[in-house]
Amino acid sequence: MNPLNDPALVYLRALLGTRLARLRDEEERSKGASAIEWAIITAILALIAITIGAIIQKKIQDKANSINTG
């Protein structure tokens, strides 16, 4: 199973793609968000990324522990 096809990762990639597209759009950028809003958005995205990383690490660790080496 490819961990990059995890639904949470697919959602995060789509969310980040949408955000980046908005940032690149000059008209959208002129509307702007305050620094505190950007800090909150960044914190939420970082939290999502850390959570997804932990999930992937747990799945890999569980699979590694289930391999019989003896």
Side-chain angles (χ1 to χ4, degrees):
M1 183 175 141
N2 185 352
L4 295 179
N5 289 335
D6 187 270
L9 275 178
V10 171
Y11 175 75
L12 181 62
R13 284 192 312 229
L15 183 68
L16 288 175
T18 304
R19 279 263 169 228
L20 289 174
R22 285 185 187 167
L23 285 174
R24 290 183 183 125
D25 185 12
E26 192 66 38
E27 186 177 310
E28 284 287 327
R29 196 178 331 158
S30 65
K31 293 179 184 176
S34 69
I36 198 76
E37 288 171 330
W38 281 116
I40 291 170
I41 291 167
T42 303
I44 290 170
L45 291 176
L47 181 63
I48 291 170
I50 291 169
T51 303
I52 291 170
I55 290 169
I56 291 171
Q57 180 181 4
K58 173 102 173 88
K59 286 184 178 189
I60 291 171
Q61 189 68 37
D62 289 346
K63 187 66 173 178
N65 288 337
S66 71
I67 296 174
N68 185 5
T69 59

